[in-house]
Amino acid sequence: FLFKIILKYPTIDEELQILQNAHEVKTTHYNEVVKPVLSACEIEHYRNLTSGLFIEEKVMEYIAKLIHETRSDKSLFLGASPRASVAVLKTAKAFAAMRGRDFVTPDDVIMVLPPVLRHRILLTPEKEMEGITPDEVIEGILKKVEVPR
């Protein structure tokens, strides 16, 4: 899993509709509803496009420092792995491409860091009991590590 996206619980009306559908054993024929948005060739094209994006050494260093900081943060029982570094790199490239650029900026890294890391780090039990969230720890790490210019 590349991202952890935070979804809210359904409203009471939405939950009632879920219950009604379950009660009536309604199912959706997803093949009729869901249509492909990209072909296999287009996916390959976009993969090649993003892999060729330029990233300055100092931006890669920024990613490495952010990930390294997770490994020494006192709020974390378990920091991010090297696979997390690669995930941040790849998603920052994809984000840059979606913004129409052929290069990665520190802002791209900052944008993708929370959804990439929030399920790859583990809070200490004490921080969990305090109600601290992974996103708050990630925000603190972003404040600690200097953004390259």
Side-chain angles (χ1 to χ4, degrees), residues 6 26 34 36-37 53 66 85 91 106 109 114 117 143 148-149:
I6 298 173
K26 284 185 180 178
V34 177
V37 293
L53 260 61
L66 289 166
S85 298
T91 56
V109 174
L117 288 189
K143 289 178 182 174
R149 306 270 177 242

Side-chain angles (χ1 to χ4, degrees), residues 120-137:
R120 296 173 189 268
I121 57 176
L122 291 178
L123 298 172
T124 63
E126 297 80 20
K127 292 301 176 186
E128 280 190 32
M129 287 174 48
E130 290 174 22
I132 302 295
T133 66
D135 282 15
E136 290 171 320
V137 175

Side-chain angles (χ1 to χ4, degrees), residues 6 28 111 113 131 137:
I6 298 173
T28 303
M111 183 63 70
L113 199 68
V137 175

Side-chain angles (χ1 to χ4, degrees), residues 38-133:
L38 295 173
S39 68
C41 289
E42 289 170 315
I43 292 170
E44 185 65 29
H45 166 74
Y46 288 121
R47 278 187 180 162
N48 292 335
L49 178 76
T50 58
S51 69
L53 260 61
F54 176 75
I55 181 165
E56 288 187 38
E57 182 72 28
K58 64 184 179 180
V59 178
M60 277 199 283
E61 203 172 289
Y62 182 53
I63 294 170
K65 287 178 179 178
L66 289 166
I67 299 302
H68 184 76
E69 190 64 35
T70 69
R71 298 173 193 152
S72 60
D73 191 288
K74 300 295 184 206
S75 298
L76 297 177
F77 177 72
L78 182 68
S81 73
R83 284 179 51 200
S85 298
V86 173
V88 171
L89 171 67
K90 287 182 176 184
T91 56
K93 283 180 165 187
F95 211 80
M98 288 188 305
R99 289 180 165 174
R101 285 186 274 103
D102 62 355
F103 60 93
V104 178
T105 68
D107 285 340
D108 297 321
V109 174
I110 292 166
M111 183 63 70
V112 302
L113 199 68
V116 171
L117 288 189
R118 67 174 58 112
H119 67 293
R120 296 173 189 268
I121 57 176
L122 291 178
L123 298 172
T124 63
E126 297 80 20
K127 292 301 176 186
E128 280 190 32
M129 287 174 48
E130 290 174 22
I132 302 295
T133 66

